[in-house]
Structures are given as C-alpha cells and as structure tokens.
Amino acid sequence: MSVIRELAAFVRSASAARLPEAERAMLRRHVTDTLVAAVAGARTTEGRALRKVMPRISAADAAGLLSAVVRHTEIDDIHTRSCTTPSSVTVPTALVLAGEYNSYDADTVASAIWVGTELMTRLGVAIDGARILYRGLWPTYFTAPLGTAAIASRMLHLSEEQTAHALSLALMLSAGRSGRFHGALPGRSVILAMAVANGVRAAQAAKDGVGGDPALLDGPWLKDAHGIDAKVEALTAGLGGASIYPQMTIKPFCSAKQAIAAIEAFTSIIDHDNVPPDSISKVVVRVPPPYSRMVAMKAEAGARASTIVSAAFQIGLAACRRERLYDIERADAMNETAALALAGKVEIVADETLLEFFPATFPADVEVSAGGKTLRKRVTAANGDPGRAFDDAALADKARRILGPSSTEIIQAGLDGFRSEDGCKRLADVMWQATMD
C-alpha cells in the first residue's frame, strides 16, 4: 500500500472516541485553547484587519481566515518536534465545515480535528520542521494543505480512494520557502489562510472526481519538488496506535515558543530569590544554536512580532510588567522603558550542550547577575510542555488573563464541545460569532 493510501485509510477510520480518556481530555483542551485564541485574535488590530481584507465567499475561505486570526496571536499550541502549530489550522477548519454542512456529530468533528493534527505534525517531523524552519521553510504553512484536506475529506465523508486523491492534490499545493514580509498587515497570515483554503478545495475537488497521484510520496517527490531529504516513514510509523496530543504543548502566554523556557527560567530566579529588577546587572540566556539568532531579535517600534520573538524584551516584561506577557496586541511596547532597559542587559548565547533536549523541547539556561551574585536556572521542559501539561484549571487561568470575565463562557463551550451534538454546535457557533461579527 502506498504511503498516501495508508494515510487515507487512517483519515477514514480513526475515531477520537476510541482514544484513551486522558488523550480525549488533551484534545478538548487544545480545542478550547484554540477557541480562546480565536476570540482574543478577533479583538486585535491585526485580527480586525484580516477580517476586513480577506474573503469569506466559501467555507474554504472562512476556514483560512479563522486560521489566520488564531495563528497571529502566538498563544496557540505547538508541536515542537515538527515545529508546527496545528490546532490553529485544524480546529477552525473542522468547526467551519461542521457549520457549513450542518454536521455536528461530536465524534466526526473531533476525529476530523485529530486526523488533521496528526497528518500535519507527522509531515512536519518527516521534513525535520524544527530545523528546517531556520532555513526559511515555515512548517505550518507547508503542512496546512495536507491537514485541511484530511479534515475536509472526513467531514465530507469521502471514500478512501477519494481521500487518497485529496491528500495527494493537497501535497502538490504545499509551498516551499516564504520570503520576508513587509507592510502594515503582514502577509504571513494571509498566505497561511490561502494554504488552509487550498487543502479544503483539494478535498472538494476529489469529491467531484478530480484525480491526484496517490503514489506521490513513494518516490523522491519531496526531494525533487522542494529539496527536502524527508523521512517519509515518519508519516505512517505507528499511525493510529495513539494520538499526537501527549507530545503537544499549550503555551502559557503570548510568546514565540523558542523564548518561553528562557522567560520561565528568569522569572523563577527573580521570584525565588526576590531579586529587584534594578539590581540586575546582566542576564545571559543560553539556547540551542538553531534558534539562538531568532530569539536574539530586538524589539522594534511598529513591529509587533519582534516583541513576541525577542527573549530579551520579554524578560524585561517579566521583570517589570509581567501582566503584559498576556497582552497579544503589544501596543505601545516601546513605552515600556524599564523593560527595554533590562532587555539591554540580556545576552543571548548559542549553546550546543542544550541540543540533547532539542527538538523534543525548546530549552534554555539562564544566568542572572545581581547584587554581586550569579543565579542560574535551566528549564528543559517549560510550563505547558509534555510532562508539565496544562489541566483544565491552568487553561482557565490562561484564558482569564487573556480574555477577562468573558473567559468562563468560552472555556465551558470548548470543554463541553464534544459531549453532544448540541455542545458541538455551540462550540462551532462561539468560534464563528466571535470572529465573524
């Protein structure tokens, strides 16, 4: 059987209801976390701009728009080994299609989310997403068409043969390297929306008899088309035996994942030892070489993303205005003069000894020099990582810090979304209303 046909068989037969209860609970939390990101993202300047400029002509367009709104927040989940942020793509797509086709069977929708997430992360691992990202290939963007084609195939009840064609067509739509984005509205969100829509359209085309190439991955296609030495066996090894959810991370606050361990290590030091921010003379942050240059970015006026990627700036916020780590908008960040002053004392160092933990986690080793002492903390698995996974209470606390009083209703809609058809419809409606009004 070809690789794509194995994937198609999984897409057709996988049932989230048959997962262990612990994994079903994880799936519900990741869906709920994505709902929080959708509601929060709809309120930002960029989220409103995306809703204004992007089309909603079809369900495929709507799925793309919702995915873009979620992804730009940087509070959505991540699978570190693949460096994909799958729920930003899979949850909106499944819920939009549930509404489009008035199909709210809880197991069908939950299973569609699972198979899309599974295929995105597996393809991301196969292409070594955690390393290839720093060569200019964005793993979430690359894997999104495959994930959404799997979801649409399941929601449309395609046959196994039709699903195989849908998946192969979606793979042919996978894009390689992106460039540098400029302008008031970053194109990064827009091209992700297009990739999401393309996968849905691939499945719709396959339903109407359009053929692809189910043998696409049985040869050197990824190498020939994209220059990627992929480990294709990662796509099917143990497929269906368990879900990917125990390997996934929920972010504790708004930040690029690569900076979170450093921020946690720093806050642990200053909180445990009661270190006053103005006593700090130097902070040294050691991270694995693949992302050291990325987190060394300096925060810049008018560049929201820089305030979310920069480890130094966010360490400054953690010391001086910690509540702003939950602020997605990051408006007027350059007015945080105390945080910027501390950021100027932070040095980022590439440390190869930390590679033993990467890419299973994104670790950091932090040294804080203050009052004549040097304090050190290493974090290899941050809050929200596997082994330190969020429970319902931790997720509710994150939502409250981000959304305020409205968080209770959102959390409840997410956690109850797969208990019944009515619950599933409410889940879909809450996401739609929050982001489309």
Side-chain angles (χ1 to χ4, degrees), residues 25 28-29 32 390-398 411 415 419:
R28 290 194 296 270
R29 289 185 196 112
T32 305
F390 272 33
D391 58 14
D392 290 356
L395 183 58
D397 182 64
K398 172 185 172 180
I411 287 287
L415 294 177
R419 299 188 189 280

Side-chain angles (χ1 to χ4, degrees), residues 36-47 69-76 253-255 304-305 307-308 323-331 398 401-403:
V36 170
V39 174
R43 299 175 180 177
T44 69
T45 301
E46 185 173 328
V69 167
V70 171
R71 176 78 278 274
H72 94 275
T73 67
E74 287 290 353
I75 59 169
D76 54 322
F253 46 78
C254 177
S255 173
R304 171 181 168 269
T307 72
I308 294 170
E323 69 276 9
R324 290 211 68 179
L325 291 173
Y326 299 90
D327 171 22
I328 298 168
E329 186 79 61
R330 298 285 169 94
K398 172 185 172 180
R401 292 173 184 272
I402 291 170
L403 295 177

Side-chain angles (χ1 to χ4, degrees), residues 35-91:
L35 187 63
V36 170
V39 174
R43 299 175 180 177
T44 69
T45 301
E46 185 173 328
R48 292 193 297 270
L50 287 168
R51 292 157 62 199
K52 182 177 180 180
V53 305
M54 294 181 63
R56 310 178 198 178
I57 299 169
S58 66
D61 294 325
L65 170 56
L66 280 164
S67 296
V69 167
V70 171
R71 176 78 278 274
H72 94 275
T73 67
E74 287 290 353
I75 59 169
D76 54 322
D77 65 16
I78 186 168
H79 178 254
T80 58
R81 288 187 182 275
S82 64
C83 211
T84 60
T85 53
S87 294
S88 65
V89 168
T90 61
V91 174

Side-chain angles (χ1 to χ4, degrees), residues 404-421:
S406 65
S407 65
T408 301
E409 179 183 354
I410 303 303
I411 287 287
Q412 205 62 49
L415 294 177
D416 291 345
F418 299 128
R419 299 188 189 280
S420 65
E421 286 194 18

Side-chain angles (χ1 to χ4, degrees), residues 1 5 18 21 132 151 173 222 261 346 422 430:
M1 182 181 290
R5 291 190 189 282
R18 294 197 295 266
E21 171 54 31
I132 208 167
I151 292 166
L173 292 165
L222 282 168
V346 177
D422 287 345
V430 169

Side-chain angles (χ1 to χ4, degrees), residues 1-14 119 146 150 153 158-169 171 206 210-219 232 235-236 239:
M1 182 181 290
S2 73
V3 172
I4 287 178
R5 291 190 189 282
E6 284 191 57
L7 297 178
F10 167 72
V11 169
R12 280 275 298 162
S13 64
L119 265 60
L146 181 67
S153 295
L158 268 59
S159 69
E160 192 171 311
E161 182 69 12
Q162 290 172 320
T163 300
H165 286 285
L167 298 181
S168 67
L169 289 168
L171 279 166
V210 176
D213 180 6
L216 191 69
L217 294 179
D218 299 332
V232 176
L235 282 162
T236 56
L239 184 62

